C-alpha cells in the first residue's frame, strides 16, 4: 500500500474516534511508520488514541500533547516498540491523569473492547468466576435463609418463642398449655399466640383435581402479635377463632397466590375447597410473611378453630394435652424484663405440676424469636453447620482469588509489550495499573452476574424440592438483596484485590528489556515464587475442603446407618384422613380395617399395618402419662410422660418391630378390654429383671400389659432409648392415620398402586402423604445430608477451579520460556522432550 494512503487511512480512523485534526495527524503518521503486521499496528493505534483521549479528558492542552511527538526520539521509540527494533527508551515526564467520569466511561469501553478482543481468555475467566461465585452465593443464600434473614416481626426483640421442656429436651406445646400460659402471664405478656401446621387437599376454587397443600393454623391474636400487614384483604383475627369448626376462612400465602391463582386480586371473597369443604378467602399474605419456621412457607393460613376439621382425630386437638404440635409466641409488655417473664412462666408450670402435669419433669422454655431457627434442640447443630459452610465459603473465596490472579498473570505475559509502550509514552505506573484493575473488575462483575443467576437457579430448584414430610412444604431459599450484595461484594473484592497483584507484577517489568525482547521482563524469580504460591494455595485449600467434606459425608453415612428399630424392609407409607362427616366414630374402625384389607390385595404387598402417628414424625408428638401402681415410692407416684401410639394388629409385622414377649393385639381388643403393649425401655424401668407381661399400668386408667416389643427411635435417630406405650386402634379411633404396606420388592410402584386403591375405595379420602419408608426415614437426616451435599459441591467447585487455575499458571510458565523453547527446538530438541522439560 502507498505510504501516504496508509497514513491518511490511519488518520481518518483517528478522526472517526473523535480526535482533533492535529492529534489524528500524529496518530496516522506514527502508526503508518511502524514496520509491523496489521495486528501490531492496530495495537499501537489504540494506545496512541488512548494517550490523546486520556490527556484531553484530564484537561491538558492539545498543543502540549502533540508537542510530545515532535521529539524524533519519542517517535523512533514508538516505531521501534512495534517493529521489535532494539533502541533505548527515553524517560518521559509523568503526567497526572485523574479518573473523571468521562474518562472512566471511556476506560470501561476500552476494557470491554480488550476483553472481547480475546474472547477465549475472557470467557474462561468469567465462567470460572461465575462458577465459583455462584457456588459461594448459593451456600450463602442457604445460610441467609436459615440463620441470617431477620424475622418480619415488629419490634422482634420483645418477642419470644415458647416451648415445653421435658427433662433436657424440648417439644412444641399443646393448645391447653398455651391457653394456661396466656391466662397466667397477662402481667408480663401483652399477647400470647400460637401456630400449628397441617396438610390438606386443595381443589381449586370450586371443584376439580386436588393437590396437597400446607396449612398454618393460627390462634386469633397471632397476626396482631407479629405486627405485619397483609397484601390484600385481612388477616385471621380473634373473631375467626371462636367456635371450633365454625369459621371456614383462609388467607392465601403470597407464593401460593401467585403460583396457583396467578395473582388474581378478585380471589378475595371467593372460595377454595380444602378436604372437600369450602373455605372463604379473606386475604393474601405479603411476600415478607414466610411462616413461623425459617425456610418453610405455608400455602394457606386458617384459624386454629378449624384444626379438628382439617386434621380430624379422635383426640380433640384443641383440648388434648397429649397432642404436642403447637409453636407458641409471646410479646413482652413494655418495661417488663425477660427475668420477670421467666418467673411468671415458671409459676404457670408449677401450677400445672399440681394438676395436669402431676409427676412430669416438665416446664416451659423461652427463646428469643430472633435466635430461633427450627427449635432449641436442633438449632445448635444448624448453627454449627452454618459456621462450617461460612468457613468453606471463605476457603472457596481464596481459591477463586488465586484462580483469577493466575489468569491475570498469564494475561499479563501477553500484554507486556502493550504495557511497555504505554510506559514509553510517559504513563505512570499507577496510570497503567488502573485500566488493568478495571479489566479485572469487569471480569469479576460479569462473573458476579453469572454467579447470581446460578444462585437464583439453584434457589428455585430448592424452592420446588418435595421433601417427604407429613405435610407438603416449600423451602424458601431464593436469594434476597443480602445475597445479591454478597455476590457483588465478593466480585469487587476478587476484582480489586487479586486484580491489583497481577497488574503490579506486570508493570514491574523492565521497559527497555521488554521492547527489545518479547520474552523478557517476566518477573524473574519473584514472579515464579508468586505463581508457585498461588498454585500451592489453590491445591492446599481444595484438599482441605475435600478432607472436611469427606469427614462430614462419613458422619452423614454413619447417621444413616443407625438402626431406627423399624422400617428396615421395603415399605410404602400413606397418611390418610377420613372425613369425619362421612365416617363418624362408631364406623371409623371398620372403615379403617376395610381400607387395610383393600391395601393387602395390592400386588407386591405382604403385610399392612395402621398407626395414628408414625415414629420420627417431626411435625407431631403424642404423649401420655403412665404410672406403675406397684411402685409405692413417693418419688414415683406421679405420672411418667411417655410417647404413645394407637395401632392395629398388623402394624408390628408391617413395620418390622420384633415382639420380645407376650402377644400382639387381637381384633377383639378394644374399649371393653383395656390392654396395652409397651417397649423394652418402659418394661425395664417399671420392672427391672422381671417379666412385664400380665402386669398392670395406669394410663391413667388401669390397663394390662399383654406384650413387650423392641425399643425404636421415636423422635430422632440420636435419642437415647425412650419409653413407649401402644394402644389398640379401636380404643383411640383416629380420623387421621398412617398405613404401612410392607412389600416384597420395590415400594415405589406399590405406593402409587396403594394410593389408587384407597381412592377407588372412597374418592373422599384425603391422602396427605404418599411415600416410601426410605424417604420418610431420610427426613430425619435431612439437615446433615443437605450440609454434606452443599460441602461436597463446594469441594468439587474448588477442585475444578484449582485445576483451571493450574492450567492458567502452566500457560504463564510456558509463555515465560517461549524463547528458551524456540532455541531448544532449533538445536534439535524433540516435542516430547520439551514437554517433559516444562512439566
Amino acid at each position: 500500500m502507498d505510504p501516504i494512503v496508509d497514513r491518511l487511512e490511519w488518520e481518518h480512523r483517528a478522526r472517526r474516534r473523535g480526535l482533533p485534526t492535529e492529534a489524528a495527524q500524529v496518530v496516522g503518521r506514527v502508526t503508518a511508520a511502524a514496520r509491523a503486521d496489521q495486528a501490531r499496528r492496530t495495537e499501537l493505534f489504540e494506545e496512541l488514541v488512548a494517550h490523546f483521549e486520556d490527556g484531553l479528558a484530564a484537561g491538558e492542552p492539545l498543543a502540549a500533547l502533540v508537542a510530545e511527538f515532535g521529539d524524533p526520539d519519542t517517535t523512533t521509540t514508538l516505531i521501534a516498540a512495534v517493529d521489535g527494533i532494539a533502541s533505548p527508551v527515553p524517560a518521559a515526564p509523568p503526567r497526572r491523569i485523574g479518573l473523571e467520569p468521562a474518562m472512566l466511561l471511556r476506560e470501561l469501553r476500552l476494557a470491554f473492547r480488550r476483553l472481547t478482543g480475546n474472547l477465549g481468555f475472557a470467557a474462561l475467566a468469567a465462567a470460572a468466576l461465575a462458577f465459583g461465585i455462584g457456588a459461594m452465593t448459593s451456600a450463602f443464600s442457604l445460610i441467609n435463609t436459615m440463620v441470617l434473614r431477620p424475622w418480619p416481626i415488629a419490634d422482634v426483640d420483645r418477642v419470644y418463642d415458647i416451648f415445653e421442656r421435658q427433662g433436657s429436651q424440648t417439644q412444641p406445646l399443646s393448645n391447653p398449655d398455651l391457653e394456661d400460659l396466656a391466662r397466667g402471664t397477662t402481667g408480663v405478656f401483652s399477647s400470647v399466640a400460637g401456630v400449628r401446621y397441617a396438610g390438606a387437599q386443595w381443589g381449586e376454587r370450586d371443584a376439580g383435581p386436588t393437590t396437597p397443600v400446607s396449612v398454618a393454623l393460627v390462634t386469633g391474636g397471632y397476626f396482631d402479635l407479629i405486627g405485619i400487614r397483609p397484601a390484600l384483604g385481612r388477616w385471621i383475627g380473634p373473631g375467626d377463632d371462636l367456635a371450633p369448626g365454625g369459621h371456614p376462612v383462609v388467607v392465601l400465602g403470597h407464593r401460593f397466590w401467585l403460583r396457583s391463582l396467578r395473582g388474581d386480586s378478585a380471589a378475595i371473597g371467593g372460595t377454595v375447597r380444602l378436604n372437600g369443604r369450602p373455605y372463604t378467602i379473606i386475604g393474601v399474605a405479603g411476600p415478607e410473611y414466610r411462616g413461623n419456621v425459617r425456610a418453610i412457607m405455608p400455602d394457606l393460613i386458617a384459624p386454629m378453630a378449624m384444626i379438628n376439621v382439617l386434621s380430624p382425630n379422635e383426640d380433640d386437638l384443641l383440648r388434648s394435652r397429649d397432642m404436642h404440635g403447637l409453636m407458641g409466641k409471646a410479646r413482652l409488655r413494655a418495661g417488663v424484663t425477660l427475668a420477670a417473664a421467666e418467673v411468671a412462666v415458671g409459676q404457670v408450670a408449677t401450677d400445672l405440676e399440681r394438676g395436669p402435669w402431676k409427676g412430669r419433669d416438665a416446664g416451659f422454655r423461652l427463646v428469643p424469636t430472633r435466635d430461633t431457627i427450627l427449635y432449641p434442640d436442633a438449632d445448635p447443630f444448624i448453627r454449627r453447620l452454618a459456621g462450617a459452610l461460612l468457613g468453606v465459603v471463605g476457603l472457596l473465596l481464596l481459591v477463586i482469588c488465586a484462580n483469577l490472579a493466575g489468569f491475570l498473570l498469564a494475561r499479563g505475559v501477553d500484554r507486556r509489550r502493550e504495557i511497555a509502550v504505554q510506559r514509553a509514552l510517559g504513563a505512570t505506573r499507577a496510570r497503567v495499573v488502573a485500566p488493568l484493575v478495571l479489566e479485572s473488575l469487569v471480569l469479576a462483575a460479569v462473573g458476579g452476574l453469572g454467579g447470581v443467576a446460578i444462585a437464583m437457579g439453584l434457589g428455585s430448584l430448592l424452592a420446588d424440592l418435595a421433601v417427604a414430610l407429613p405435610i407438603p412444604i416449600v423451602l424458601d431459599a431464593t436469594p434476597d438483596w443480602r445475597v445479591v450484595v454478597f455476590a457483588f461484594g465478593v466480585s469487587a473484592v476478587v476484582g480489586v484485590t487479586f486484580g491489583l497483584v497481577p497488574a503490579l507484577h506486570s508493570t514491574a517489568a523492565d521497559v527497555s528489556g521488554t521492547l527489545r525482547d518479547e520474552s523478557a521482563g517476566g518477573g524473574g524469580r519473584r514472579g515464579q515464587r508468586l505463581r508457585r504460591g498461588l498454585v500451592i494455595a489453590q491445591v492446599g485449600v481444595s484438599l482441605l475442603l475435600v478432607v472436611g467434606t469427606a469427614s462430614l459425608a462419613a458422619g452423614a453415612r454413619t447417621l444413616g446407618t443407625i438402626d431406627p428399630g423399624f422400617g428396615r424392609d421395603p415399605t410404602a407409607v400413606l397418611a390418610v384422613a377420613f372425613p369425619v362427616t362421612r365416617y363418624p366414630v362408631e364406623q371409623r374402625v371398620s372403615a379403617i380395617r376395610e381400607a387395610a384389607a383393600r391395601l393387602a390385595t395390592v400386588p407386591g404387598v405382604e403385610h399392612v399395618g395402621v398407626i395414628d402417628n408414625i415414629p420420627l414424625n417431626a411435625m407431631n408428638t403424642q404423649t401420655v402419662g403412665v404410672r406403675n401402681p406397684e411402685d409405692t415410692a413417693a418419688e414415683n407416684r406421679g405420672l411418667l410422660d411417655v410417647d404413645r401410639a394407637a395401632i392395629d394388629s398388623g402394624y408390628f409385622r408391617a413395620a418390622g418391630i420384633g415382639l420380645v414377649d407376650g402377644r400382639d393385639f387381637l381384633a377383639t381388643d378394644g374399649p371393653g378390654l383395656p390392654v396395652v403393649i409397651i417397649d423394652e425401655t418402659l418394661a425395664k424401668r417399671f420392672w427391672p429383671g422381671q417379666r412385664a407381661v400380665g402386669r398392670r399400668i395406669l394410663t391413667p386408667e388401669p390397663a394390662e400389659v399383654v406384650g413387650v416389643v423392641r425399643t425404636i427411635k421415636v423422635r430422632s435417630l440420636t435419642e437415647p432409648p425412650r419409653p413407649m406405650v401402644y394402644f389398640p386402634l379401636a380404643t383411640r379411633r383416629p380420623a387421621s392415620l398412617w398405613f404401612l404396606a410392607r412389600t416384597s420388592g420395590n415400594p415405589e410402584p406399590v405406593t402409587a398402586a396403594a394410593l389408587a386403591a384407597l381412592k377407588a375405595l372412597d374418592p373422599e379420602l384425603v391422602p396427605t402423604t404418599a411415600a416410601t419408608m426410605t424417604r420418610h426415614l431420610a427426613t430425619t437426616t435431612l439437615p446433615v445430608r443437605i450440609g454434606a451435599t452443599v460441602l461436597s459441591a463446594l469441594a468439587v467447585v474448588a477442585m475444578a477451579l484449582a485445576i483451571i487455575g493450574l492450567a492458567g499458571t502452566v500457560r504463564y510458565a510456558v509463555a515465560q520460556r517461549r524463547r528458551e523453547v524456540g532455541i531448544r527446538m532449533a538445536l534439535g530438541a524433540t516435542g516430547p522432550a520439551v514437554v517433559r522439560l516444562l512439566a
Side-chain angles (χ1 to χ4, degrees):
M1 179 184 291
D2 190 324
I4 296 177
V5 175
D6 189 31
R7 176 176 61 79
L8 291 175
E9 176 65 24
W10 287 109
E11 182 179 329
H12 178 63
R13 290 177 62 180
R15 283 199 186 97
R16 283 189 299 174
R17 295 285 292 272
L19 292 186
T21 300
E22 296 87 341
Q25 289 174 348
V26 172
V27 172
R29 172 169 53 86
V30 175
T31 306
R35 296 187 304 276
D37 57 30
Q38 189 69 10
R40 287 299 184 89
R41 294 205 296 173
T42 300
E43 179 183 309
L44 175 61
F45 172 82
E46 293 292 343
E47 292 300 332
L48 292 171
V49 171
H51 171 74
F52 279 105
E53 287 179 342
D54 290 348
L56 293 172
E60 294 193 28
L62 175 62
L65 294 171
V66 172
E68 291 184 6
F69 291 89
D71 180 4
D73 290 336
T74 302
T75 304
T76 302
T77 297
L78 291 171
I79 297 172
V82 176
D83 290 343
I85 301 173
S87 62
V89 179
R95 303 197 313 264
R96 182 185 64 82
I97 298 180
L99 285 178
E100 288 78 7
M103 183 188 299
L104 183 60
L105 290 175
R106 190 197 66 78
E107 289 290 352
L108 280 173
R109 289 195 299 270
L110 186 58
F112 274 109
R113 190 181 305 126
R114 285 171 175 164
L115 289 174
T116 55
N118 192 345
L119 280 177
F121 163 78
L124 184 61
L129 284 171
F131 194 35
I133 293 174
M136 286 183 60
T137 304
S138 299
F140 180 79
S141 180
L142 186 60
I143 296 170
N144 175 64
T145 298
M146 296 301 298
V147 180
L148 302 179
R149 182 181 288 167
W151 287 102
I153 297 176
D155 195 14
V156 70
D157 289 340
R158 302 195 64 77
V159 180
Y160 289 81
D161 285 2
I162 308 175
F163 299 91
E164 182 180 323
R165 176 189 55 77
Q166 268 197 337
S168 60
Q169 295 183 317
T170 57
Q171 65 181 8
L173 307 173
S174 66
N175 278 62
D177 292 340
L178 186 76
E179 293 172 357
D180 289 335
L181 268 173
R183 284 191 295 266
T185 57
T186 55
V188 295
F189 294 136
S190 60
S191 57
V192 176
V195 57
R196 281 180 179 266
Y197 284 89
Q201 291 291 319
W202 174 66
E204 300 291 343
R205 295 193 189 180
D206 297 309
T210 62
T211 55
V213 293
S214 61
V215 184
L217 295 111
V218 300
T219 58
Y222 179 80
F223 287 105
D224 289 337
L225 187 151
I226 64 176
I228 61 175
R229 299 177 62 84
L232 294 174
R234 66 175 180 87
W235 289 124
I236 305 293
D240 302 309
D241 191 33
L242 297 177
H247 299 274
V249 296
V250 294
V251 173
L252 305 179
H254 195 268
R255 180 185 175 92
F256 178 82
W257 175 59
L258 294 176
R259 184 181 69 244
S260 299
L261 299 181
R262 296 174 293 281
D264 184 6
S265 58
I268 305 299
T271 61
V272 295
R273 299 183 71 85
L274 296 178
N275 294 354
R277 178 172 178 172
Y279 286 72
T280 302
I281 302 172
I282 62 172
V284 176
E288 71 277 5
Y289 176 70
R290 299 176 180 273
N292 194 72
V293 178
R294 289 185 188 271
I296 299 178
M297 294 189 299
D299 295 317
L300 304 165
I301 308 158
M304 186 67 71
M306 301 301 297
I307 183 64
N308 289 324
V309 178
L310 281 169
S311 294
N313 200 296
E314 186 191 20
D315 291 313
D316 186 344
L317 295 179
L318 294 173
R319 303 272 66 89
S320 174
R321 289 190 187 272
D322 296 335
M323 305 299 290
H324 301 274
L326 184 142
M327 291 163 280
K329 268 186 169 51
R331 180 178 290 276
L332 283 179
R333 289 188 179 277
V336 176
T337 64
L338 175 60
E342 288 177 333
V343 170
V345 168
Q347 183 58 52
V348 174
T350 300
D351 294 340
L352 289 173
E353 287 174 351
R354 299 192 186 102
W357 284 6
K358 187 175 182 180
R360 291 186 182 181
D361 179 14
F364 293 110
R365 181 177 177 183
L366 297 178
V367 180
T369 294
R370 67 174 181 273
D371 298 336
T372 303
I373 301 175
L374 292 178
Y375 63 94
D377 291 351
D379 288 355
F381 169 78
I382 295 175
R383 287 194 176 89
R384 289 194 297 270
L385 183 60
L389 279 177
L390 279 175
V392 170
V393 164
L395 293 175
L396 186 60
L397 176 59
L398 292 178
V399 175
I400 294 173
C401 290
N403 191 274
L404 180 59
F407 275 127
L408 294 178
L409 280 172
R411 171 75 164 160
V413 173
D414 296 335
R415 299 181 61 182
R416 285 174 301 160
R417 181 174 295 278
E418 172 191 337
I419 293 169
V421 170
Q422 289 178 314
R423 297 293 302 278
L425 288 171
T428 64
R429 190 179 184 190
R431 182 64 188 86
V432 176
V433 165
L436 297 178
V437 174
L438 194 59
E439 283 187 37
S440 69
L441 277 174
V442 171
L443 273 177
V446 174
L449 285 172
V452 170
I454 291 173
M456 293 183 69
L458 292 177
S460 299
L461 288 176
L462 189 59
D464 295 330
L465 179 64
V467 181
L469 289 177
I471 60 173
I473 64 172
V474 175
L475 298 176
D476 174 31
T478 52
D480 60 10
W481 66 268
R482 295 175 191 79
V483 177
V484 175
V485 169
F486 172 84
F488 284 101
V490 168
S491 301
V493 169
V494 171
V496 173
T497 305
F498 281 81
L500 185 61
V501 173
L504 292 174
H505 179 73
S506 298
T507 57
D510 175 64
V511 176
S512 298
T514 302
L515 293 177
R516 285 194 302 269
D517 188 349
E518 188 173 311
S519 64
R525 294 183 178 178
R526 181 182 176 187
Q528 294 176 10
R529 287 196 299 268
L530 179 58
R531 297 194 304 273
R532 290 169 182 168
L534 291 173
V535 172
I536 292 172
Q538 292 184 75
V539 174
V541 170
S542 301
L543 289 177
L544 181 61
L545 287 176
V546 170
V547 171
T549 299
S551 177
L552 184 61
R557 287 194 299 271
T558 300
L559 187 61
T561 60
I562 295 177
D563 183 9
F566 68 97
R568 289 175 293 270
D569 299 308
T571 307
V573 177
L574 294 91
V576 180
F578 286 74
V580 293
T581 54
R582 290 176 53 82
Y583 297 96
V585 172
E586 59 274 9
Q587 300 177 9
R588 199 170 299 154
V589 172
S590 60
I592 293 171
R593 288 174 177 167
E594 183 180 357
R598 178 66 65 91
L599 291 179
T601 64
V602 173
V605 173
E606 294 183 338
H607 300 288
V608 175
V610 183
I611 186 171
D612 65 338
N613 187 32
I614 194 169
L616 298 177
N617 179 1
M619 304 305 298
N620 191 24
T621 301
Q622 297 180 168
T623 62
V624 64
V626 301
R627 186 169 71 85
N628 178 9
E630 301 174 11
D631 193 342
T632 58
E635 64 271 16
N636 295 329
R637 290 178 184 173
L639 294 176
L640 175 66
D641 206 39
V642 303
D643 291 285
R644 56 97 169 169
I647 64 172
D648 73 342
S649 57
Y651 171 74
F652 290 132
R653 281 178 296 172
I657 300 176
L659 189 67
V660 177
D661 192 15
R663 65 171 176 86
D664 202 339
F665 287 132
L666 305 175
T668 55
D669 291 330
L673 297 171
V675 295
V676 294
I677 295 175
I678 64 176
D679 69 357
E680 288 182 294
T681 300
L682 185 59
K684 292 176 181 177
R685 176 156 185 169
F686 279 174
W687 301 285
Q690 303 177 51
R691 192 179 186 215
V693 174
R695 309 280 186 133
R696 288 186 174 271
I697 62 173
L698 301 179
T699 65
E701 295 80 14
E704 180 185 352
V705 177
V706 297
V708 177
V709 295
R710 301 279 184 195
T711 298
I712 65 171
K713 302 294 185 181
V714 184
R715 301 188 185 183
S716 72
L717 287 175
T718 57
E719 70 186 11
R722 296 187 62 86
M724 180 100 179
V725 59
Y726 300 90
F727 295 90
L729 192 65
T731 64
R732 297 285 169 173
R733 295 171 291 186
S736 293
L737 39 79
W738 299 73
F739 288 91
L740 275 64
R742 182 173 164 184
T743 65
S744 56
N746 183 6
E748 288 285 355
V750 176
T751 301
L755 183 60
L758 287 179
K759 296 296 287 185
L761 178 65
D762 185 351
E764 294 295 322
L765 293 179
V766 182
T768 56
T769 297
T772 65
M773 181 63 75
T774 301
R775 289 182 59 197
H776 172 73
L777 293 176
T779 62
T780 61
T781 60
L782 185 63
V784 177
R785 288 187 294 108
I786 289 178
T789 300
V790 171
L791 288 178
S792 298
L794 293 179
V796 170
V797 169
M799 288 298 295
L801 291 176
I803 292 171
I804 294 173
L806 183 59
T809 303
V810 171
R811 179 181 181 275
Y812 179 97
V814 172
Q816 289 290 86
R817 302 176 67 178
R818 185 181 304 165
R819 187 182 180 203
E820 176 190 348
V821 170
I823 294 173
R824 288 179 180 273
M825 299 269 312
L827 292 175
T830 62
V834 173
V835 170
R836 286 195 298 271
L837 173 68
L838 296 176

